[in-house]
Amino acid sequence: TYTAPPNTWSPKLIVADVNGCKDSLTRPNYINIHSPTVSISSPSTVCQKSFITFNGTYTPLGGSMSWDFGDGLGTSFAASPTYKYNTAGTFNVIVTYNYRGCIVTATKQIIVNPKPIADFTLSPDTLCPAPVSVQFVPNASYTSYYWNNGAAPPISSTSPSPTFNYTSNGYFTPMLAVATAAGCTDTIFKSNFVQIHDMFTVITPYKGSIKVNRDKIEGCKPLTITFADTTYTTTPGLVQRIYPYPIQSYDWNWGDGT
């Protein structure tokens, strides 16, 4: 049994017969004792859904390796594989190195930090015509924020919940980028999420059920006129369409001092 450190041995055999005659045989470098080693070098933490590279160090070279990334899903036979964890948690990464039948392993614990999911709402969520102010409210608390209100020119902010002033009507695509204390990030663009409409009202007069299509309405007293209101917008695209939000109140002035 050879227990010495890695080495190459040249065994020698000497035989002698009953007459004292001898012979010998030497096998140069006949026995090779292997004591392979393996180690893992990589960061100890990574963000969920981000790539991490595991650098394997093997001695002596020339063997085969296999990796188990500890999440029940990922394996590899590369020397220094790259892997992406889709689930947050703590995982034990194991590499097995086989050099001419001598097998060794190395283990490293990896912490996979959760990836944030950036999102936000508006307050208020329905907006009056410009100029108008709106507050952006994130869906969770983060370590850092970067906002872009999507206007032209764009206005940015690093406040947790900023208020932006819009000076023109239109549809805008704001952006939020967030980061956690572990350095994990996410970015969201919400297409046409801020919708600011112009509004104008068309009053249509009726005498009974008949629509009056004249600039001036005439008649004998008592004159009864029915006024019908329709509110329109030309946002977006300067195409007239019905104003998208319900009208909650009306304040009429008939012009006769009553």
Side-chain angles (χ1 to χ4, degrees), residues 202-207 217 224-230 252-254:
V202 175
I203 299 174
T204 304
Y206 290 86
K207 292 177 70 175
I217 301 173
T224 300
I225 302 295
T226 300
F227 294 95
D229 162 81
T230 305
W252 292 88
N253 186 325
W254 308 118

Side-chain angles (χ1 to χ4, degrees), residues 105-167:
T105 62
T107 302
K108 181 161 186 174
Q109 189 177 83
I110 299 296
I111 298 175
V112 180
N113 294 302
K115 175 182 175 65
I117 301 176
D119 201 359
F120 57 92
T121 58
L122 303 179
S123 179
D125 57 358
T126 57
L127 303 175
C128 294
V132 63
S133 296
V134 58
Q135 183 180 14
F136 288 71
V137 182
N139 64 328
S141 178
Y142 301 104
T143 301
S144 67
Y145 307 79
Y146 179 81
W147 300 87
N148 183 313
N149 73 342
I155 300 174
S156 62
S157 175
T158 55
S159 298
S161 184
T163 296
F164 289 111
N165 298 315
Y166 289 87
T167 58

Side-chain angles (χ1 to χ4, degrees), residues 127-130 168-172 192 194-200 232-245:
L127 303 175
C128 294
S168 61
N169 301 309
Y171 285 10
F172 304 94
N192 296 331
V194 177
Q195 299 185 3
I196 305 173
H197 300 85
D198 66 332
M199 63 184 302
F200 62 94
Y232 295 94
T233 183
T234 59
T235 306
L238 300 179
V239 177
Q240 181 174 307
R241 57 180 65 82
I242 297 296
Y243 190 69
Y245 306 131

Side-chain angles (χ1 to χ4, degrees), residues 2 38 43 46 52 67 69 101 103 126 152 164 169 203 208 239 251 257-258:
Y2 289 88
V38 61
V46 67
I52 181 173
W67 293 81
F69 299 114
I103 298 173
T126 57
F164 289 111
N169 301 309
I203 299 174
V239 177
D251 186 4
T258 62

